[in-house]
Amino acid sequence: MSLKQRLLAVVLTAVSLAWLGAAFITYLDARHELDELLDAHLAQASTLLIAQSAEELDDIKAEHAPLLHEYSRDIAFQLWDKHQQLRFHSVNAPAQPLTDTEQGFSTQVIDGFTWRVFSMWNNEHDVLIHVAERMDMRQHLAKDITERLLLPLALTLPILAVLLWWLIGKSLSPLLRLTQALTRRSANNLSPITLQAPPEVAPLISRLNQLFTRISDLIEQERRFTADAAHELRTPIAGIQAQVQVAQAAQQAPERQNALSNALQGCQRATHLISQLLTLARLESYSQAQWVMCDLVGLSQQTLAELATQAYSQQHQLELCELQNPVYVQGLPTLLQVLLRNLL
């Protein structure tokens, strides 16, 4: 997955999660506000029924009110007299009382449906009113409100995705230009990159330019080392060649032996020169290296082991005194070994 696609997926996922969270909070808030509003309507409807029934309770016969609206089936009411006789009720109201509570709000399950019920007596305490609403109707209303609020957001999600795709592509254009510039470069082009870039991309270009500079310096060091080695080795090799030619042309054994001895010394000088050139190359390559803690005793043991054969052949005795405590210094292990070798 490309960086552009990844950014788009992350942003759209974050927006979708935020919308889902907003939808959940909206649903809870709508449920709460609807419960408060509809509870108030239940109490008000009970008051109106009490006012209507207060005139002549004896004139009200046991009958039911007709359904006037599609939502009427989700709303029910009952009028009970003080003798616990049902005097008036809605069509969908059951024969038994909607609740056992005689004052205030309560929740009751009747025939598999949960009802929110408000109950109250009239002033004469001879009429008991139960007004109820089905809770699933309230849930349906809250869900409908939430869906209507989120529908515009859902419709704008594809538009937002297209807009984000364009904006992300526009924002990543400096990286695309940098990629194209590096693609068009030849392998020998180590010149600095000159591109106008935002602050986020500028450090990357700066690090690339530093890398190009270091590579250029290393190549220049390699060229300089090659030139120095060719120049310095030309003389001893020419001397060795001349001594070998003398040895080939010599008629007497002492003259031949002397020429071979000179050739051997020339080889030793060339070997020493090569070692010095390699040391110089190491110095140049270690110019940017970080120093570390080095064990001088361990480095000395390694160096003595390397030079033991040469010292024995020249009848020299090398000895490393034992120390009670280790000795540590800050430095570069390879160059410290070169230093010890030169001293020995």
Side-chain angles (χ1 to χ4, degrees), residues 127-146:
V127 176
L128 175 61
I129 300 294
H130 295 310
V131 182
E133 285 180 344
R134 280 174 47 175
M135 295 298 293
D136 56 346
M137 182 268 293
R138 296 188 176 192
Q139 295 175 357
H140 174 73
L141 288 176
K143 180 182 177 182
D144 187 62
I145 292 174
T146 304

Side-chain angles (χ1 to χ4, degrees), residues 7 42 48 67 81 138 153 161 213 233 275 279 292 296 305 332:
L7 286 174
L42 287 179
L48 293 175
L67 294 176
D81 60 15
R138 296 188 176 192
L153 298 180
T213 302
L233 290 175
S275 177
T279 301
V292 297
L296 281 183
L332 299 174

Side-chain angles (χ1 to χ4, degrees), residues 10 12 65 116 128 133 145 154 169 244 339 341:
V10 169
L12 289 180
R116 180 69 168 172
L128 175 61
E133 285 180 344
I145 292 174
V244 171
L339 173 63
R341 191 180 299 109

Side-chain angles (χ1 to χ4, degrees), residues 95 104 113 135 149 159 170 173 177 203 237 258 260 296 318 326:
F113 296 102
M135 295 298 293
L149 287 175
I159 300 176
K170 192 72 174 177
S173 58
R177 291 197 300 270
I237 290 177
N258 183 50
L260 292 175
L296 281 183
L318 300 178

Side-chain angles (χ1 to χ4, degrees), residues 23 26 28 39 44 101 105 114 117 137 149 158 198 264 280 306:
T26 301
L28 294 180
D39 283 350
Q44 187 178 19
T101 303
F105 290 98
T114 303
V117 186
M137 182 268 293
L149 287 175
L264 180 60
L280 178 61
E306 294 174 359

Side-chain angles (χ1 to χ4, degrees), residues 6-222:
R6 190 178 305 172
L7 286 174
L8 182 62
V10 169
V11 173
L12 289 180
T13 301
V15 171
S16 300
L17 291 177
W19 282 359
L20 290 176
F24 181 70
I25 295 175
T26 301
Y27 175 76
L28 294 180
D29 186 65
R31 280 293 309 274
H32 175 73
E33 294 299 327
L34 278 174
D35 288 340
E36 294 290 335
L37 178 63
L38 296 177
D39 283 350
H41 286 173
L42 287 179
Q44 187 178 19
S46 299
T47 303
L48 293 175
L49 287 174
I50 287 290
Q52 291 293 330
S53 62
E55 298 179 357
E56 291 292 340
L57 181 61
D58 295 335
D59 295 338
I60 300 177
K61 298 180 180 180
E63 56 183 8
H64 58 77
L67 294 176
L68 302 177
H69 194 270
E70 59 176 334
Y71 283 115
S72 299
R73 65 183 70 255
D74 298 324
I75 303 174
F77 67 89
Q78 295 175 335
L79 273 73
W80 298 81
D81 60 15
K82 59 184 177 181
H83 303 295
Q84 297 184 354
Q85 293 182 356
L86 182 61
R87 306 299 297 273
F88 191 58
H89 64 91
S90 59
V91 175
N92 56 338
Q96 72 273 19
L98 286 168
T99 180
D100 297 332
T101 303
E102 295 185 354
Q103 190 65 37
F105 290 98
S106 61
T107 303
Q108 190 75 20
V109 178
I110 302 174
D111 297 333
F113 296 102
T114 303
W115 294 79
R116 180 69 168 172
V117 186
F118 181 78
S119 306
M120 67 178 298
W121 288 93
N122 64 349
N123 294 333
E124 290 77 15
H125 208 74
D126 55 4
V127 176
L128 175 61
I129 300 294
H130 295 310
V131 182
E133 285 180 344
R134 280 174 47 175
M135 295 298 293
D136 56 346
M137 182 268 293
R138 296 188 176 192
Q139 295 175 357
H140 174 73
L141 288 176
K143 180 182 177 182
D144 187 62
I145 292 174
T146 304
E147 290 177 351
R148 291 178 182 275
L149 287 175
L150 292 180
L151 181 60
L153 298 180
L155 293 177
T156 57
L157 188 60
I159 300 176
L160 179 61
V162 174
L163 181 61
L164 286 175
W165 181 266
W166 180 79
L167 290 176
I168 292 174
K170 192 72 174 177
S171 301
L172 295 179
S173 58
L175 288 178
L176 180 59
R177 291 197 300 270
L178 177 60
T179 303
Q180 293 174 349
L182 292 176
T183 303
R184 292 192 297 264
R185 275 177 169 247
S186 63
N188 298 325
N189 186 4
L190 297 176
S191 60
I193 300 173
T194 55
L195 284 177
Q196 295 295 331
E200 293 80 6
V201 182
L204 175 61
I205 296 178
S206 176
R207 296 298 181 273
L208 285 174
N209 288 335
Q210 292 177 5
L211 178 61
F212 290 158
T213 302
R214 291 177 58 186
I215 294 175
S216 179
D217 292 341
L218 290 176
I219 293 176
E220 182 60 29
Q221 290 176 9
E222 182 180 354

